Amino acid sequence: MTRFTPTTLAGPDLTLRPLGPQDVDAVVAACADPQTQRWTSVPQPYERRHAQDFIEVAAPRALEGNTGIVFALDDGSGLVGCLDLKNTDWTTRCTEVGYWVAPAARGRGLASAATRLLAEWAIRARLIERVELRAAPGNAASLAVAARAGFTREGVARNAGVVKGGRVDLVVFSFVSGDL
Ligand SMILES: CC(C)(COP(=O)(O)OP(=O)(O)OC[C@H]1O[C@@H](n2cnc3c(N)ncnc32)[C@H](O)[C@@H]1OP(=O)(O)O)[C@@H](O)C(=O)NCCC(=O)NCCS
């Protein structure tokens, strides 16, 4: 069966690389941010043990179970964000991308460039045929990332997600092999 294996991907001003113990402090700082708290499912309050568990248990488990793969987004100064592929269906070769970027690194195009890099890699490596991206209608920055990364908006999945404010619809975008 096709598997995700630990990989490093190089973009123009960023690298997507495996997470390591050196990333704990940066993950704690970024995941305590109110916007990350609001729009993702990270624990609240976000403590050091959550980052340790994410790096030492959750990320390796995704790889071992072949359900997904987690990357540190590194701009050369260290971890400034995180991207992952998750909910992978190997029968249909569909997966879903998720991301967050630390507040100080936002607005530089990093999430958009990293999302495109990751989607293109997954398809060019003949792992995946369709990368889905789902974002709450109120999450303007994430909707902008999807568009900038070249994803196509398909519609709205009603009552499909949960953010800190409660249940939400999710806008569904995709990037497929035919988009290359
Ligand atoms: C979404 C997120 C990852 C974007 O990271 P980023 O590196 O700043 O993204 P980029 O710089 O690639 O692009 C951001 C885009 O959002 C736009 N944007 C940012 N804040 C915005 C806002 N409040 N309203 C509208 N657009 C906004 C920027 O202008 C930019 O679009 P543009 O280049 O067309 O102007 C970051 O804001 C984040 O971590 N948010 C919290 C976690 C989260 O929401 N994750 C996604 C869950 S689906």
Side-chain angles (χ1 to χ4, degrees), residues 4-8 16-20 23 27 54-55 57-64 67-73 79 81-86 98-100 118 121:
F4 289 123
T5 50
T7 308
T8 295
L16 293 175
R17 60 162 174 81
L19 288 153
D23 298 317
V27 170
F54 175 56
I55 292 169
V57 181
R61 189 186 290 147
L63 212 49
E64 280 156 26
T67 57
I69 183 166
V70 185
F71 291 91
L73 166 56
L79 181 148
C82 228
L83 279 85
D84 70 339
L85 297 177
K86 57 193 173 185
Y99 42 73
W100 50 257
L118 184 51
W121 164 75

PDB file of all heavy atoms in Angstrom, residues 4-8 16-20 23 27 54-55 57-64 67-73 79 81-86 98-100 118 121:
ATOM      1  N   PHE A   4       2.623   7.486   3.490  1.00  0.00           N
ATOM      2  CA  PHE A   4       3.356   8.716   3.759  1.00  0.00           C
ATOM      3  C   PHE A   4       4.634   8.336   4.494  1.00  0.00           C
ATOM      4  O   PHE A   4       4.597   7.493   5.405  1.00  0.00           O
ATOM      5  CB  PHE A   4       2.544   9.643   4.664  1.00  0.00           C
ATOM      6  CG  PHE A   4       1.347  10.270   4.014  1.00  0.00           C
ATOM      7  CD1 PHE A   4       0.083  10.093   4.551  1.00  0.00           C
ATOM      8  CD2 PHE A   4       1.480  11.054   2.878  1.00  0.00           C
ATOM      9  CE1 PHE A   4      -1.036  10.686   3.969  1.00  0.00           C
ATOM     10  CE2 PHE A   4       0.364  11.653   2.286  1.00  0.00           C
ATOM     11  CZ  PHE A   4      -0.887  11.470   2.842  1.00  0.00           C
ATOM     12  N   THR A   5       5.746   8.936   4.095  1.00  0.00           N
ATOM     13  CA  THR A   5       7.004   8.713   4.819  1.00  0.00           C
ATOM     14  C   THR A   5       7.594  10.081   5.152  1.00  0.00           C
ATOM     15  O   THR A   5       7.348  11.058   4.426  1.00  0.00           O
ATOM     16  CB  THR A   5       8.012   7.910   3.970  1.00  0.00           C
ATOM     17  OG1 THR A   5       8.107   8.515   2.674  1.00  0.00           O
ATOM     18  CG2 THR A   5       7.588   6.474   3.822  1.00  0.00           C
ATOM     19  N   PRO A   6       8.379  10.188   6.234  1.00  0.00           N
ATOM     20  CA  PRO A   6       8.927  11.486   6.635  1.00  0.00           C
ATOM     21  C   PRO A   6       9.680  12.130   5.463  1.00  0.00           C
ATOM     22  O   PRO A   6      10.500  11.483   4.811  1.00  0.00           O
ATOM     23  CB  PRO A   6       9.880  11.130   7.780  1.00  0.00           C
ATOM     24  CG  PRO A   6       9.349   9.839   8.315  1.00  0.00           C
ATOM     25  CD  PRO A   6       8.778   9.109   7.137  1.00  0.00           C
ATOM     26  N   THR A   7       9.368  13.381   5.214  1.00  0.00           N
ATOM     27  CA  THR A   7       9.858  14.072   4.014  1.00  0.00           C
ATOM     28  C   THR A   7      10.139  15.527   4.349  1.00  0.00           C
ATOM     29  O   THR A   7       9.489  16.097   5.222  1.00  0.00           O
ATOM     30  CB  THR A   7       8.761  14.029   2.906  1.00  0.00           C
ATOM     31  OG1 THR A   7       8.343  12.682   2.723  1.00  0.00           O
ATOM     32  CG2 THR A   7       9.252  14.582   1.601  1.00  0.00           C
ATOM     33  N   THR A   8      11.091  16.126   3.660  1.00  0.00           N
ATOM     34  CA  THR A   8      11.312  17.566   3.755  1.00  0.00           C
ATOM     35  C   THR A   8      11.077  18.169   2.375  1.00  0.00           C
ATOM     36  O   THR A   8      11.579  17.663   1.378  1.00  0.00           O
ATOM     37  CB  THR A   8      12.748  17.860   4.240  1.00  0.00           C
ATOM     38  OG1 THR A   8      12.882  17.367   5.578  1.00  0.00           O
ATOM     39  CG2 THR A   8      13.034  19.357   4.238  1.00  0.00           C
ATOM     40  N   LEU A  16       9.175  22.777   4.546  1.00  0.00           N
ATOM     41  CA  LEU A  16       8.273  21.927   5.311  1.00  0.00           C
ATOM     42  C   LEU A  16       9.080  20.713   5.726  1.00  0.00           C
ATOM     43  O   LEU A  16       9.605  19.994   4.878  1.00  0.00           O
ATOM     44  CB  LEU A  16       7.057  21.526   4.466  1.00  0.00           C
ATOM     45  CG  LEU A  16       6.114  22.664   4.098  1.00  0.00           C
ATOM     46  CD1 LEU A  16       5.007  22.171   3.150  1.00  0.00           C
ATOM     47  CD2 LEU A  16       5.482  23.254   5.357  1.00  0.00           C
ATOM     48  N   ARG A  17       9.199  20.502   7.030  1.00  0.00           N
ATOM     49  CA  ARG A  17      10.081  19.454   7.556  1.00  0.00           C
ATOM     50  C   ARG A  17       9.383  18.746   8.715  1.00  0.00           C
ATOM     51  O   ARG A  17       8.412  19.279   9.285  1.00  0.00           O
ATOM     52  CB  ARG A  17      11.399  20.072   8.033  1.00  0.00           C
ATOM     53  CG  ARG A  17      11.198  21.105   9.126  1.00  0.00           C
ATOM     54  CD  ARG A  17      12.458  21.415   9.899  1.00  0.00           C
ATOM     55  NE  ARG A  17      12.274  22.508  10.845  1.00  0.00           N
ATOM     56  CZ  ARG A  17      11.727  22.398  12.052  1.00  0.00           C
ATOM     57  NH1 ARG A  17      11.260  21.222  12.480  1.00  0.00           N
ATOM     58  NH2 ARG A  17      11.610  23.452  12.853  1.00  0.00           N
ATOM     59  N   PRO A  18       9.876  17.562   9.106  1.00  0.00           N
ATOM     60  CA  PRO A  18       9.285  16.898  10.268  1.00  0.00           C
ATOM     61  C   PRO A  18       9.443  17.736  11.533  1.00  0.00           C
ATOM     62  O   PRO A  18      10.414  18.484  11.680  1.00  0.00           O
ATOM     63  CB  PRO A  18      10.096  15.593  10.377  1.00  0.00           C
ATOM     64  CG  PRO A  18      10.646  15.367   9.002  1.00  0.00           C
ATOM     65  CD  PRO A  18      10.903  16.738   8.441  1.00  0.00           C
ATOM     66  N   LEU A  19       8.488  17.617  12.437  1.00  0.00           N
ATOM     67  CA  LEU A  19       8.581  18.282  13.744  1.00  0.00           C
ATOM     68  C   LEU A  19       9.601  17.575  14.615  1.00  0.00           C
ATOM     69  O   LEU A  19       9.829  16.376  14.468  1.00  0.00           O
ATOM     70  CB  LEU A  19       7.228  18.216  14.452  1.00  0.00           C
ATOM     71  CG  LEU A  19       6.121  19.103  13.908  1.00  0.00           C
ATOM     72  CD1 LEU A  19       4.766  18.485  14.217  1.00  0.00           C
ATOM     73  CD2 LEU A  19       6.220  20.486  14.505  1.00  0.00           C
ATOM     74  N   GLY A  20      10.192  18.319  15.550  1.00  0.00           N
ATOM     75  CA  GLY A  20      11.134  17.716  16.494  1.00  0.00           C
ATOM     76  C   GLY A  20      11.002  18.361  17.858  1.00  0.00           C
ATOM     77  O   GLY A  20      10.273  19.350  18.030  1.00  0.00           O
ATOM     78  N   ASP A  23      10.948  22.114  18.644  1.00  0.00           N
ATOM     79  CA  ASP A  23       9.825  22.944  18.220  1.00  0.00           C
ATOM     80  C   ASP A  23       8.785  23.183  19.323  1.00  0.00           C
ATOM     81  O   ASP A  23       7.816  23.917  19.110  1.00  0.00           O
ATOM     82  CB  ASP A  23       9.122  22.287  17.015  1.00  0.00           C
ATOM     83  CG  ASP A  23      10.035  22.163  15.811  1.00  0.00           C
ATOM     84  OD1 ASP A  23      10.768  23.126  15.522  1.00  0.00           O
ATOM     85  OD2 ASP A  23      10.014  21.102  15.155  1.00  0.00           O
ATOM     86  N   VAL A  27       5.588  25.889  19.206  1.00  0.00           N
ATOM     87  CA  VAL A  27       4.224  25.358  19.061  1.00  0.00           C
ATOM     88  C   VAL A  27       3.345  25.879  20.194  1.00  0.00           C
ATOM     89  O   VAL A  27       2.207  26.310  19.970  1.00  0.00           O
ATOM     90  CB  VAL A  27       4.234  23.808  19.030  1.00  0.00           C
ATOM     91  CG1 VAL A  27       2.816  23.254  19.135  1.00  0.00           C
ATOM     92  CG2 VAL A  27       4.906  23.305  17.756  1.00  0.00           C
ATOM     93  N   PHE A  54       1.590  16.507  20.905  1.00  0.00           N
ATOM     94  CA  PHE A  54       1.413  16.711  19.464  1.00  0.00           C
ATOM     95  C   PHE A  54       2.648  16.227  18.699  1.00  0.00           C
ATOM     96  O   PHE A  54       2.538  15.494  17.703  1.00  0.00           O
ATOM     97  CB  PHE A  54       1.168  18.204  19.212  1.00  0.00           C
ATOM     98  CG  PHE A  54       1.071  18.617  17.777  1.00  0.00           C
ATOM     99  CD1 PHE A  54       0.151  18.026  16.917  1.00  0.00           C
ATOM    100  CD2 PHE A  54       1.897  19.611  17.277  1.00  0.00           C
ATOM    101  CE1 PHE A  54       0.064  18.410  15.590  1.00  0.00           C
ATOM    102  CE2 PHE A  54       1.816  20.014  15.955  1.00  0.00           C
ATOM    103  CZ  PHE A  54       0.903  19.404  15.110  1.00  0.00           C
ATOM    104  N   ILE A  55       3.832  16.604  19.203  1.00  0.00           N
ATOM    105  CA  ILE A  55       5.075  16.281  18.490  1.00  0.00           C
ATOM    106  C   ILE A  55       5.492  14.826  18.704  1.00  0.00           C
ATOM    107  O   ILE A  55       5.898  14.147  17.752  1.00  0.00           O
ATOM    108  CB  ILE A  55       6.201  17.242  18.959  1.00  0.00           C
ATOM    109  CG1 ILE A  55       5.882  18.668  18.481  1.00  0.00           C
ATOM    110  CG2 ILE A  55       7.566  16.781  18.458  1.00  0.00           C
ATOM    111  CD1 ILE A  55       6.757  19.746  19.092  1.00  0.00           C
ATOM    112  N   VAL A  57       3.603  12.204  20.091  1.00  0.00           N
ATOM    113  CA  VAL A  57       2.602  11.125  20.008  1.00  0.00           C
ATOM    114  C   VAL A  57       1.691  11.282  18.776  1.00  0.00           C
ATOM    115  O   VAL A  57       1.605  10.376  17.939  1.00  0.00           O
ATOM    116  CB  VAL A  57       1.737  11.075  21.289  1.00  0.00           C
ATOM    117  CG1 VAL A  57       0.728   9.937  21.195  1.00  0.00           C
ATOM    118  CG2 VAL A  57       2.626  10.924  22.518  1.00  0.00           C
ATOM    119  N   ALA A  58       1.025  12.435  18.661  1.00  0.00           N
ATOM    120  CA  ALA A  58       0.004  12.570  17.611  1.00  0.00           C
ATOM    121  C   ALA A  58       0.606  12.533  16.204  1.00  0.00           C
ATOM    122  O   ALA A  58       0.092  11.826  15.324  1.00  0.00           O
ATOM    123  CB  ALA A  58      -0.784  13.857  17.822  1.00  0.00           C
ATOM    124  N   ALA A  59       1.691  13.285  15.992  1.00  0.00           N
ATOM    125  CA  ALA A  59       2.286  13.319  14.645  1.00  0.00           C
ATOM    126  C   ALA A  59       2.853  11.949  14.247  1.00  0.00           C
ATOM    127  O   ALA A  59       2.553  11.460  13.144  1.00  0.00           O
ATOM    128  CB  ALA A  59       3.343  14.414  14.563  1.00  0.00           C
ATOM    129  N   PRO A  60       3.635  11.278  15.120  1.00  0.00           N
ATOM    130  CA  PRO A  60       4.089   9.928  14.754  1.00  0.00           C
ATOM    131  C   PRO A  60       2.949   8.946  14.556  1.00  0.00           C
ATOM    132  O   PRO A  60       3.006   8.083  13.675  1.00  0.00           O
ATOM    133  CB  PRO A  60       4.963   9.516  15.958  1.00  0.00           C
ATOM    134  CG  PRO A  60       5.374  10.790  16.600  1.00  0.00           C
ATOM    135  CD  PRO A  60       4.252  11.744  16.365  1.00  0.00           C
ATOM    136  N   ARG A  61       1.877   9.108  15.342  1.00  0.00           N
ATOM    137  CA  ARG A  61       0.737   8.183  15.211  1.00  0.00           C
ATOM    138  C   ARG A  61       0.070   8.326  13.837  1.00  0.00           C
ATOM    139  O   ARG A  61      -0.336   7.333  13.218  1.00  0.00           O
ATOM    140  CB  ARG A  61      -0.279   8.449  16.324  1.00  0.00           C
ATOM    141  CG  ARG A  61      -1.387   7.408  16.405  1.00  0.00           C
ATOM    142  CD  ARG A  61      -2.444   7.789  17.407  1.00  0.00           C
ATOM    143  NE  ARG A  61      -1.997   7.708  18.782  1.00  0.00           N
ATOM    144  CZ  ARG A  61      -2.411   8.505  19.759  1.00  0.00           C
ATOM    145  NH1 ARG A  61      -3.273   9.478  19.504  1.00  0.00           N
ATOM    146  NH2 ARG A  61      -1.961   8.352  20.986  1.00  0.00           N
ATOM    147  N   ALA A  62      -0.053   9.570  13.363  1.00  0.00           N
ATOM    148  CA  ALA A  62      -0.649   9.792  12.039  1.00  0.00           C
ATOM    149  C   ALA A  62       0.169   9.086  10.964  1.00  0.00           C
ATOM    150  O   ALA A  62      -0.371   8.447  10.058  1.00  0.00           O
ATOM    151  CB  ALA A  62      -0.739  11.285  11.749  1.00  0.00           C
ATOM    152  N   LEU A  63       1.488   9.190  11.092  1.00  0.00           N
ATOM    153  CA  LEU A  63       2.378   8.560  10.104  1.00  0.00           C
ATOM    154  C   LEU A  63       2.307   7.034  10.201  1.00  0.00           C
ATOM    155  O   LEU A  63       2.187   6.342   9.190  1.00  0.00           O
ATOM    156  CB  LEU A  63       3.804   9.047  10.378  1.00  0.00           C
ATOM    157  CG  LEU A  63       4.762   9.201   9.206  1.00  0.00           C
ATOM    158  CD1 LEU A  63       4.167   9.964   8.046  1.00  0.00           C
ATOM    159  CD2 LEU A  63       6.048   9.856   9.689  1.00  0.00           C
ATOM    160  N   GLU A  64       2.364   6.530  11.431  1.00  0.00           N
ATOM    161  CA  GLU A  64       2.320   5.072  11.629  1.00  0.00           C
ATOM    162  C   GLU A  64       0.996   4.492  11.133  1.00  0.00           C
ATOM    163  O   GLU A  64       0.955   3.444  10.491  1.00  0.00           O
ATOM    164  CB  GLU A  64       2.495   4.721  13.114  1.00  0.00           C
ATOM    165  CG  GLU A  64       3.943   4.750  13.569  1.00  0.00           C
ATOM    166  CD  GLU A  64       4.061   4.994  15.065  1.00  0.00           C
ATOM    167  OE1 GLU A  64       3.117   4.663  15.809  1.00  0.00           O
ATOM    168  OE2 GLU A  64       5.099   5.536  15.485  1.00  0.00           O
ATOM    169  N   THR A  67      -2.621   7.737   8.243  1.00  0.00           N
ATOM    170  CA  THR A  67      -3.809   8.570   8.064  1.00  0.00           C
ATOM    171  C   THR A  67      -3.440   9.975   7.608  1.00  0.00           C
ATOM    172  O   THR A  67      -4.289  10.725   7.125  1.00  0.00           O
ATOM    173  CB  THR A  67      -4.603   8.695   9.374  1.00  0.00           C
ATOM    174  OG1 THR A  67      -3.722   9.221  10.391  1.00  0.00           O
ATOM    175  CG2 THR A  67      -5.135   7.346   9.826  1.00  0.00           C
ATOM    176  N   GLY A  68      -2.177  10.365   7.811  1.00  0.00           N
ATOM    177  CA  GLY A  68      -1.772  11.709   7.445  1.00  0.00           C
ATOM    178  C   GLY A  68      -0.304  11.941   7.724  1.00  0.00           C
ATOM    179  O   GLY A  68       0.444  11.008   8.059  1.00  0.00           O
ATOM    180  N   ILE A  69       0.107  13.202   7.579  1.00  0.00           N
ATOM    181  CA  ILE A  69       1.501  13.569   7.812  1.00  0.00           C
ATOM    182  C   ILE A  69       1.532  15.022   8.285  1.00  0.00           C
ATOM    183  O   ILE A  69       0.794  15.859   7.759  1.00  0.00           O
ATOM    184  CB  ILE A  69       2.351  13.329   6.539  1.00  0.00           C
ATOM    185  CG1 ILE A  69       3.828  13.639   6.794  1.00  0.00           C
ATOM    186  CG2 ILE A  69       1.811  14.094   5.335  1.00  0.00           C
ATOM    187  CD1 ILE A  69       4.756  13.103   5.693  1.00  0.00           C
ATOM    188  N   VAL A  70       2.359  15.296   9.278  1.00  0.00           N
ATOM    189  CA  VAL A  70       2.428  16.629   9.881  1.00  0.00           C
ATOM    190  C   VAL A  70       3.786  17.253   9.562  1.00  0.00           C
ATOM    191  O   VAL A  70       4.816  16.589   9.687  1.00  0.00           O
ATOM    192  CB  VAL A  70       2.257  16.546  11.417  1.00  0.00           C
ATOM    193  CG1 VAL A  70       2.206  17.941  12.028  1.00  0.00           C
ATOM    194  CG2 VAL A  70       1.003  15.757  11.778  1.00  0.00           C
ATOM    195  N   PHE A  71       3.776  18.521   9.182  1.00  0.00           N
ATOM    196  CA  PHE A  71       5.010  19.241   8.853  1.00  0.00           C
ATOM    197  C   PHE A  71       5.154  20.494   9.696  1.00  0.00           C
ATOM    198  O   PHE A  71       4.169  21.207   9.931  1.00  0.00           O
ATOM    199  CB  PHE A  71       4.993  19.703   7.395  1.00  0.00           C
ATOM    200  CG  PHE A  71       5.087  18.611   6.381  1.00  0.00           C
ATOM    201  CD1 PHE A  71       3.934  18.029   5.873  1.00  0.00           C
ATOM    202  CD2 PHE A  71       6.309  18.167   5.911  1.00  0.00           C
ATOM    203  CE1 PHE A  71       4.008  17.024   4.916  1.00  0.00           C
ATOM    204  CE2 PHE A  71       6.397  17.162   4.960  1.00  0.00           C
ATOM    205  CZ  PHE A  71       5.238  16.588   4.461  1.00  0.00           C
ATOM    206  N   ALA A  72       6.397  20.787  10.113  1.00  0.00           N
ATOM    207  CA  ALA A  72       6.725  22.106  10.637  1.00  0.00           C
ATOM    208  C   ALA A  72       6.952  23.021   9.444  1.00  0.00           C
ATOM    209  O   ALA A  72       7.633  22.635   8.488  1.00  0.00           O
ATOM    210  CB  ALA A  72       7.989  22.039  11.486  1.00  0.00           C
ATOM    211  N   LEU A  73       6.369  24.223   9.498  1.00  0.00           N
ATOM    212  CA  LEU A  73       6.651  25.258   8.495  1.00  0.00           C
ATOM    213  C   LEU A  73       7.786  26.113   9.060  1.00  0.00           C
ATOM    214  O   LEU A  73       7.624  26.750  10.108  1.00  0.00           O
ATOM    215  CB  LEU A  73       5.385  26.090   8.264  1.00  0.00           C
ATOM    216  CG  LEU A  73       5.504  27.418   7.522  1.00  0.00           C
ATOM    217  CD1 LEU A  73       6.137  27.256   6.157  1.00  0.00           C
ATOM    218  CD2 LEU A  73       4.121  28.044   7.370  1.00  0.00           C
ATOM    219  N   LEU A  79      10.496  27.042  13.648  1.00  0.00           N
ATOM    220  CA  LEU A  79       9.080  26.779  13.327  1.00  0.00           C
ATOM    221  C   LEU A  79       8.254  28.059  13.435  1.00  0.00           C
ATOM    222  O   LEU A  79       8.278  28.734  14.469  1.00  0.00           O
ATOM    223  CB  LEU A  79       8.524  25.714  14.283  1.00  0.00           C
ATOM    224  CG  LEU A  79       7.062  25.312  14.069  1.00  0.00           C
ATOM    225  CD1 LEU A  79       6.851  23.840  14.431  1.00  0.00           C
ATOM    226  CD2 LEU A  79       6.103  26.194  14.870  1.00  0.00           C
ATOM    227  N   GLY A  81       4.999  27.806  11.850  1.00  0.00           N
ATOM    228  CA  GLY A  81       3.663  27.322  11.555  1.00  0.00           C
ATOM    229  C   GLY A  81       3.667  25.819  11.427  1.00  0.00           C
ATOM    230  O   GLY A  81       4.693  25.159  11.610  1.00  0.00           O
ATOM    231  N   CYS A  82       2.498  25.303  11.123  1.00  0.00           N
ATOM    232  CA  CYS A  82       2.336  23.858  11.006  1.00  0.00           C
ATOM    233  C   CYS A  82       1.329  23.568   9.909  1.00  0.00           C
ATOM    234  O   CYS A  82       0.337  24.294   9.779  1.00  0.00           O
ATOM    235  CB  CYS A  82       1.782  23.335  12.327  1.00  0.00           C
ATOM    236  SG  CYS A  82       2.639  21.937  12.936  1.00  0.00           S
ATOM    237  N   LEU A  83       1.597  22.567   9.101  1.00  0.00           N
ATOM    238  CA  LEU A  83       0.630  22.101   8.097  1.00  0.00           C
ATOM    239  C   LEU A  83       0.502  20.600   8.239  1.00  0.00           C
ATOM    240  O   LEU A  83       1.469  19.927   8.606  1.00  0.00           O
ATOM    241  CB  LEU A  83       1.103  22.405   6.675  1.00  0.00           C
ATOM    242  CG  LEU A  83       0.855  23.830   6.164  1.00  0.00           C
ATOM    243  CD1 LEU A  83       1.979  24.734   6.619  1.00  0.00           C
ATOM    244  CD2 LEU A  83       0.712  23.852   4.666  1.00  0.00           C
ATOM    245  N   ASP A  84      -0.679  20.091   7.930  1.00  0.00           N
ATOM    246  CA  ASP A  84      -0.792  18.639   7.898  1.00  0.00           C
ATOM    247  C   ASP A  84      -1.754  18.188   6.819  1.00  0.00           C
ATOM    248  O   ASP A  84      -2.565  18.963   6.309  1.00  0.00           O
ATOM    249  CB  ASP A  84      -1.190  18.066   9.266  1.00  0.00           C
ATOM    250  CG  ASP A  84      -2.629  18.385   9.660  1.00  0.00           C
ATOM    251  OD1 ASP A  84      -3.217  19.348   9.116  1.00  0.00           O
ATOM    252  OD2 ASP A  84      -3.170  17.665  10.516  1.00  0.00           O
ATOM    253  N   LEU A  85      -1.588  16.935   6.440  1.00  0.00           N
ATOM    254  CA  LEU A  85      -2.572  16.226   5.636  1.00  0.00           C
ATOM    255  C   LEU A  85      -3.232  15.245   6.580  1.00  0.00           C
ATOM    256  O   LEU A  85      -2.558  14.604   7.392  1.00  0.00           O
ATOM    257  CB  LEU A  85      -1.897  15.497   4.462  1.00  0.00           C
ATOM    258  CG  LEU A  85      -1.190  16.392   3.448  1.00  0.00           C
ATOM    259  CD1 LEU A  85      -0.509  15.545   2.372  1.00  0.00           C
ATOM    260  CD2 LEU A  85      -2.154  17.385   2.804  1.00  0.00           C
ATOM    261  N   LYS A  86      -4.552  15.141   6.512  1.00  0.00           N
ATOM    262  CA  LYS A  86      -5.279  14.327   7.484  1.00  0.00           C
ATOM    263  C   LYS A  86      -6.504  13.703   6.815  1.00  0.00           C
ATOM    264  O   LYS A  86      -6.834  14.041   5.677  1.00  0.00           O
ATOM    265  CB  LYS A  86      -5.717  15.193   8.674  1.00  0.00           C
ATOM    266  CG  LYS A  86      -6.567  16.381   8.257  1.00  0.00           C
ATOM    267  CD  LYS A  86      -6.733  17.383   9.380  1.00  0.00           C
ATOM    268  CE  LYS A  86      -7.428  18.630   8.867  1.00  0.00           C
ATOM    269  NZ  LYS A  86      -7.527  19.687   9.854  1.00  0.00           N
ATOM    270  N   GLY A  98      -4.638  20.996   6.551  1.00  0.00           N
ATOM    271  CA  GLY A  98      -4.916  21.923   7.641  1.00  0.00           C
ATOM    272  C   GLY A  98      -3.663  22.736   7.936  1.00  0.00           C
ATOM    273  O   GLY A  98      -2.550  22.323   7.583  1.00  0.00           O
ATOM    274  N   TYR A  99      -3.827  23.908   8.583  1.00  0.00           N
ATOM    275  CA  TYR A  99      -2.654  24.756   8.850  1.00  0.00           C
ATOM    276  C   TYR A  99      -2.930  25.790   9.927  1.00  0.00           C
ATOM    277  O   TYR A  99      -4.076  26.160  10.189  1.00  0.00           O
ATOM    278  CB  TYR A  99      -2.210  25.496   7.570  1.00  0.00           C
ATOM    279  CG  TYR A  99      -3.350  26.060   6.757  1.00  0.00           C
ATOM    280  CD1 TYR A  99      -4.063  27.180   7.173  1.00  0.00           C
ATOM    281  CD2 TYR A  99      -3.751  25.434   5.578  1.00  0.00           C
ATOM    282  CE1 TYR A  99      -5.119  27.682   6.431  1.00  0.00           C
ATOM    283  CE2 TYR A  99      -4.811  25.924   4.827  1.00  0.00           C
ATOM    284  CZ  TYR A  99      -5.487  27.049   5.264  1.00  0.00           C
ATOM    285  OH  TYR A  99      -6.544  27.545   4.534  1.00  0.00           O
ATOM    286  N   TRP A 100      -1.859  26.230  10.566  1.00  0.00           N
ATOM    287  CA  TRP A 100      -1.858  27.466  11.343  1.00  0.00           C
ATOM    288  C   TRP A 100      -0.477  28.086  11.223  1.00  0.00           C
ATOM    289  O   TRP A 100       0.522  27.387  10.972  1.00  0.00           O
ATOM    290  CB  TRP A 100      -2.259  27.250  12.807  1.00  0.00           C
ATOM    291  CG  TRP A 100      -1.548  26.145  13.558  1.00  0.00           C
ATOM    292  CD1 TRP A 100      -2.067  24.915  13.853  1.00  0.00           C
ATOM    293  CD2 TRP A 100      -0.233  26.174  14.119  1.00  0.00           C
ATOM    294  NE1 TRP A 100      -1.140  24.173  14.554  1.00  0.00           N
ATOM    295  CE2 TRP A 100      -0.012  24.930  14.740  1.00  0.00           C
ATOM    296  CE3 TRP A 100       0.779  27.128  14.163  1.00  0.00           C
ATOM    297  CZ2 TRP A 100       1.188  24.608  15.378  1.00  0.00           C
ATOM    298  CZ3 TRP A 100       1.964  26.819  14.805  1.00  0.00           C
ATOM    299  CH2 TRP A 100       2.164  25.572  15.403  1.00  0.00           C
ATOM    300  N   LEU A 118       2.629  21.795  -0.521  1.00  0.00           N
ATOM    301  CA  LEU A 118       2.231  20.498   0.035  1.00  0.00           C
ATOM    302  C   LEU A 118       1.261  19.771  -0.901  1.00  0.00           C
ATOM    303  O   LEU A 118       1.403  18.564  -1.159  1.00  0.00           O
ATOM    304  CB  LEU A 118       1.602  20.724   1.411  1.00  0.00           C
ATOM    305  CG  LEU A 118       1.200  19.507   2.222  1.00  0.00           C
ATOM    306  CD1 LEU A 118       2.332  18.503   2.332  1.00  0.00           C
ATOM    307  CD2 LEU A 118       0.726  19.940   3.611  1.00  0.00           C
ATOM    308  N   TRP A 121       3.142  18.570  -4.004  1.00  0.00           N
ATOM    309  CA  TRP A 121       3.999  17.415  -3.680  1.00  0.00           C
ATOM    310  C   TRP A 121       3.165  16.139  -3.590  1.00  0.00           C
ATOM    311  O   TRP A 121       3.530  15.110  -4.173  1.00  0.00           O
ATOM    312  CB  TRP A 121       4.739  17.659  -2.360  1.00  0.00           C
ATOM    313  CG  TRP A 121       5.308  16.389  -1.812  1.00  0.00           C
ATOM    314  CD1 TRP A 121       6.407  15.716  -2.263  1.00  0.00           C
ATOM    315  CD2 TRP A 121       4.777  15.611  -0.728  1.00  0.00           C
ATOM    316  NE1 TRP A 121       6.586  14.568  -1.529  1.00  0.00           N
ATOM    317  CE2 TRP A 121       5.609  14.477  -0.584  1.00  0.00           C
ATOM    318  CE3 TRP A 121       3.685  15.765   0.131  1.00  0.00           C
ATOM    319  CZ2 TRP A 121       5.374  13.507   0.392  1.00  0.00           C
ATOM    320  CZ3 TRP A 121       3.452  14.799   1.099  1.00  0.00           C
ATOM    321  CH2 TRP A 121       4.285  13.689   1.218  1.00  0.00           C
TER     322      TRP A 121
END
